[in-house]
Amino acid sequence: MSKIEDLLQQIGSLTVLEAAELKDKMEETFGVTAAAPVAIAVGPGGDGGAAEEEKTEFDVMLTAVGDKKIQVIKVVREVTSLGLKEAKAVVDNAPGPVKEGVSKEEAEEIKSKLEAQGATADLK
């Protein structure tokens, strides 16, 4: 075990650049890749139904504008930090995405703000 402990001490004393070079040399020499393992969760039955429950990022889709177009544009500007021209383009091009890759809580909040102004929105 002392050889392993000595080796670990030597590796621990390497700089970041030296450690990166060591990784590259080990991959080249032994034909392996130093990639982080990825755990795959499969729900009971293995049908993949659990994937939807574990979804962490949502897209807010504007499906219909409604009667209060100006108020909907204001909400789009507020939640996306877009300029007036860009926010108007999002509303004019409905159905389409308002904001993508947001948490469920933020997506629900955006959806409720849009619906409060008479628009119709969905989460994907």
Side-chain angles (χ1 to χ4, degrees):
M1 276 288 222
S2 66
K3 283 174 74 174
I4 294 173
E5 289 172 5
D6 291 342
L7 185 59
L8 285 175
Q9 275 187 323
Q10 289 176 352
I11 291 172
S13 68
L14 296 176
T15 65
V16 174
L17 291 175
E18 291 170 333
E21 186 179 339
L22 174 64
K23 176 194 79 81
D24 292 341
K25 292 285 185 185
M26 289 182 73
E27 286 178 347
E28 183 180 304
T29 303
F30 299 113
V32 295
T33 331
V38 178
I40 300 174
V42 177
D47 62 355
E52 203 164 309
E53 292 176 302
E54 297 174 14
K55 188 172 182 178
T56 58
E57 290 187 352
F58 294 85
D59 299 338
V60 181
M61 306 295 286
L62 181 64
T63 54
V65 178
D67 296 334
K68 301 177 182 177
K69 183 177 178 180
I70 294 173
Q71 285 78 5
V72 173
I73 292 171
K74 287 180 181 180
V75 171
V76 171
R77 286 189 69 198
E78 173 191 334
V79 299
T80 61
S81 301
L82 291 174
L84 179 61
K85 183 178 179 181
E86 294 84 4
K88 184 180 181 305
V90 169
V91 173
D92 287 343
N93 293 325
V98 174
K99 196 163 186 182
E100 299 175 318
V102 296
S103 68
K104 184 172 183 167
E105 295 79 22
E106 185 178 357
E108 291 287 344
E109 182 181 333
I110 293 169
K111 180 181 176 187
S112 66
K113 285 181 180 182
L114 289 167
E115 289 176 345
Q117 298 304 325
T120 307
D122 288 331
L123 301 181
K124 301 233 177 204

